[in-house]
Amino acid sequence: EAGVVQSPRYKIIEKKQPVAFWCNPISGHNTLYWYRQNLGQGPELLIRYENEEAVDDSQLPKDRFSAERLKGVDSTLKIQPAELGDSAVYLCASSSSAGQGIYEQFFGPGTRLTVL
Amino acid sequence: GQQVMQIPQYQHVQEGEDFTTYCNSSTTLSNIQWYKQRPGGHPVFLIQLVKSGEVKKQKRLTFQFGEAKKNSSLHITATQTTDVGTYFCAATDSWGKLQFGAGTQVVVTP
């Protein structure tokens, strides 16, 4: 079974440029998460989807960040315009609610973003 | 809002020794999960605790959920070099709000 796929793995951009990250969750997983992880810190939840509905986006900086999961499968996270402080690893995870209440999250390898 | 604290931030352990890392929440939790992240890797699920006072074991790892469902601990017995990494707790409160702790970075000295 394929894991969570993310692309690109690395991205270097100049500040004020736009950037987009793509995530394909594990097949059949209805819950999808986007996290930002800074060096030496835990993942910070940006947005959580249940199918195509964003059920928790309280930590998403909505002035510059946007996300979509149009068909309830893969998802895109966009930053426009990027700032220096956005440099971090962006992680995507998915989980299934079919596992007897165990919501194990499967993480992708992440996209390491560097903003110059 | 919910605050999740993990202590210690760093843990240097001699191979063969035991250690414990703690996770404390300011609010009562619905459940708590533990993840391990190896250097350069992504978090990998270890366990989920749901019931008050619950204790679960995985080989040398023992996980405990506090009676008040506000704290949890991970105890590793006879540490090995393969235990190197950062251990995160991920807490979900009664509103479904999910928050990761800052992690405990474990370094093992042979």
Side-chain angles (χ1 to χ4, degrees):
Chain A
E1 178 183 287
V4 176
V5 179
Q6 288 189 249
S7 69
R9 292 292 310 277
Y10 304 91
K11 189 73 176 179
I12 300 174
I13 61 171
E14 294 187 344
K15 62 181 181 182
K16 300 185 181 180
Q17 294 299 307
V19 64
F21 314 120
W22 177 78
C23 173
N24 191 24
I26 291 174
S27 177
H29 281 195
N30 56 317
T31 306
L32 184 145
Y33 313 75
W34 281 105
Y35 292 91
R36 175 171 58 189
Q37 186 174 28
N38 291 303
L39 189 63
Q41 298 183 20
E44 174 194 3
L45 181 67
L46 294 174
I47 189 167
R48 176 168 64 99
Y49 284 94
E50 295 289 343
N51 299 305
E52 63 272 12
E53 181 184 0
V55 296
D56 185 355
D57 63 355
S58 57
Q59 296 287 89
L60 189 71
K62 298 181 182 62
D63 57 335
R64 298 183 299 108
F65 286 65
S66 64
E68 60 183 14
R69 194 186 184 198
L70 295 175
K71 296 183 179 179
V73 181
D74 57 347
S75 176
T76 303
L77 177 69
K78 296 179 181 178
I79 308 175
Q80 182 171 11
E83 297 179 353
L84 295 176
D86 295 331
S87 295
V89 175
Y90 290 82
L91 293 164
C92 178
S94 68
S95 67
S96 169
S97 58
Q100 299 179 340
I102 303 291
Y103 302 104
E104 173 180 355
Q105 294 182 51
F106 294 82
F107 282 82
T111 297
R112 182 175 296 277
L113 174 67
T114 302
V115 182
L116 302 176
Chain B
Q2 179 187 185
Q3 296 291 327
V4 178
M5 302 293 293
Q6 274 191 259
I7 52 172
Q9 187 176 3
Y10 300 101
Q11 181 76 57
H12 291 252
V13 191
Q14 194 81 22
E15 193 173 14
E17 292 183 338
D18 303 351
F19 77 91
T20 304
T21 177
Y22 300 90
C23 179
N24 299 305
S25 171
S26 58
T27 59
T28 302
L29 301 173
S30 172
N31 67 70
I32 195 159
Q33 298 179 336
W34 285 90
Y35 290 80
K36 177 183 178 181
Q37 185 172 23
R38 294 182 183 275
H42 55 270
V44 175
F45 177 84
L46 295 176
I47 205 85
Q48 177 173 302
L49 304 172
V50 179
K51 299 177 182 177
S52 169
E54 188 171 14
V55 178
K56 288 187 176 180
K57 293 188 177 183
Q58 289 180 351
K59 298 182 180 179
R60 297 178 294 103
L61 277 61
T62 302
F63 304 84
Q64 187 166 3
F65 204 3
E67 294 290 340
K69 299 183 71 173
K70 284 188 173 183
N71 54 71
S72 180
S73 64
L74 160 59
H75 181 79
I76 299 183
T77 304
T79 305
Q80 300 177 358
T81 55
T82 54
D83 296 324
V84 165
T86 301
Y87 294 82
F88 294 101
C89 64
T92 300
D93 66 16
S94 54
W95 297 97
K97 194 76 174 177
L98 171 69
Q99 185 173 347
F100 274 75
T104 294
Q105 182 179 348
V106 176
V107 175
V108 181
T109 306

